[in-house]
Amino acid sequence: DTGVSQDPRHKITKRGQNVTFRCDPISEHNRLYWYRQTLGQGPEFLTYFQNEAQLEKSRLLSDRFSAERPKGSFSTLEIQRTEQGDSAMYLCASSPHVGELFFGEGSRLTVL
Amino acid sequence: DQQVKQNSPSLSVQEGRISILNCDYTNSMFDYFLWYKKYPAEGPTFLISISSIKDKNEDGRFTVFLNKSAKHLSLHIVPSQPGDSAVYFCAARINAGNNRKLIWGLGTSLAVNP
């Protein structure tokens, strides 16, 4: 399978714990995006990488959120000291050029 | 401030008929528009796109129309099939320097009834 893959698909955690999500993009895509989606909303942009460079970060991303793409391939999104408001679907997408994004199936976070 | 608006949260259509999903936008800097389909518990799947220099793009049963003067685009699905039942998102691209991202509408849930 050469699509975008995300891991884990579902994470349940207690408030205050740290969680990390991983995204493996389509291999020839140099752009990688993280979005967050809650029920009834469209995807909200979080951050964007071109190769290993993080070019943009949304104001939605508080200091508790950090994303990395150390070698320009896979990316991780870490949330520290999780809060109940962090519960959402975290979507990763990759793109060979800006515009057409290919999404993974998402990582659903539930913070108790 | 919702720059991309999908004013119909839901739409119900009979199988075989046409589904028309609408999207309005406010930012004239958008240069590319996309439609995505999303099934529950899955990530959005790209469906069709259109550049701002065109007014129509067709791909099989799916056609997207763009009216730049009205800042309006629509997705037509003909004929509609039960498997088309999903949430459809309209997204618009800003491409200015390093500001490359999509702005999304809230989605329209389409139900195609057999």
Side-chain angles (χ1 to χ4, degrees):
Chain A
D1 186 288
T2 56
V4 178
S5 64
Q6 292 187 244
D7 183 70
R9 292 290 310 279
H10 195 181
K11 177 73 177 177
I12 301 172
T13 191
K14 290 184 179 178
R15 189 177 54 186
Q17 298 294 304
N18 299 344
V19 296
T20 300
F21 299 114
R22 175 180 169 125
C23 172
D24 287 89
I26 295 171
S27 57
E28 59 267 26
H29 290 181
N30 62 355
R31 292 183 170 88
L32 186 148
Y33 299 78
W34 284 99
Y35 283 83
R36 178 172 68 188
Q37 186 172 24
T38 53
L39 199 63
Q41 301 291 317
E44 294 175 293
F45 171 80
L46 294 179
T47 190
Y48 149 63
F49 291 86
Q50 183 165 319
N51 300 312
E52 66 275 9
Q54 187 173 19
L55 295 186
E56 190 178 352
K57 190 173 171 180
S58 165
R59 288 172 297 169
L60 291 174
L61 230 57
S62 74
D63 291 342
R64 298 184 296 105
F65 288 71
S66 62
E68 294 183 344
R69 194 183 183 197
K71 297 180 181 178
S73 56
F74 75 91
S75 174
T76 57
L77 176 68
E78 182 183 15
I79 309 173
Q80 296 181 325
R81 304 181 304 282
T82 52
E83 301 172 358
Q84 287 184 322
D86 298 332
S87 296
M89 175 77 85
Y90 290 84
L91 295 166
C92 175
S94 68
S95 172
H97 58 81
V98 63
E100 195 174 311
L101 303 184
F102 294 82
F103 282 86
E105 295 189 337
S107 293
R108 179 166 294 284
L109 174 64
T110 302
V111 181
L112 302 176
Chain B
D1 177 29
Q2 196 73 22
Q3 295 185 66
V4 177
K5 300 175 186 176
Q6 293 178 255
N7 291 320
S8 298
S10 63
L11 176 67
S12 183
V13 171
Q14 208 63 29
E15 181 179 6
R17 298 289 183 95
I18 183 171
S19 295
I20 301 176
L21 297 103
N22 293 305
C23 179
D24 297 290
Y25 62 95
T26 58
N27 192 335
S28 55
M29 295 293 292
F30 292 142
D31 67 343
Y32 198 72
F33 302 89
L34 306 93
W35 284 94
Y36 280 79
K37 179 168 77 171
K38 186 180 185 302
Y39 294 115
E42 293 185 11
T45 304
F46 171 74
L47 202 54
I48 192 168
S49 63
I50 188 166
S51 164
S52 60
I53 62 173
K54 300 199 172 179
D55 55 20
K56 178 182 174 181
N57 187 25
E58 191 172 352
D59 182 4
R61 296 184 299 113
F62 303 92
T63 303
V64 56
F65 295 92
L66 175 63
N67 182 336
K68 278 189 71 176
S69 60
K71 292 191 175 68
H72 176 84
L73 63 155
S74 60
L75 173 68
H76 293 211
I77 307 174
V78 182
S80 302
Q81 300 173 353
D84 296 329
S85 298
V87 178
Y88 288 78
F89 289 97
C90 170
R93 181 181 83 178
I94 287 178
N95 187 15
N98 278 335
N99 185 2
R100 295 187 174 94
K101 62 187 178 193
L102 296 182
I103 308 297
W104 296 74
L106 298 183
T108 296
S109 179
L110 173 66
V112 179
N113 306 308

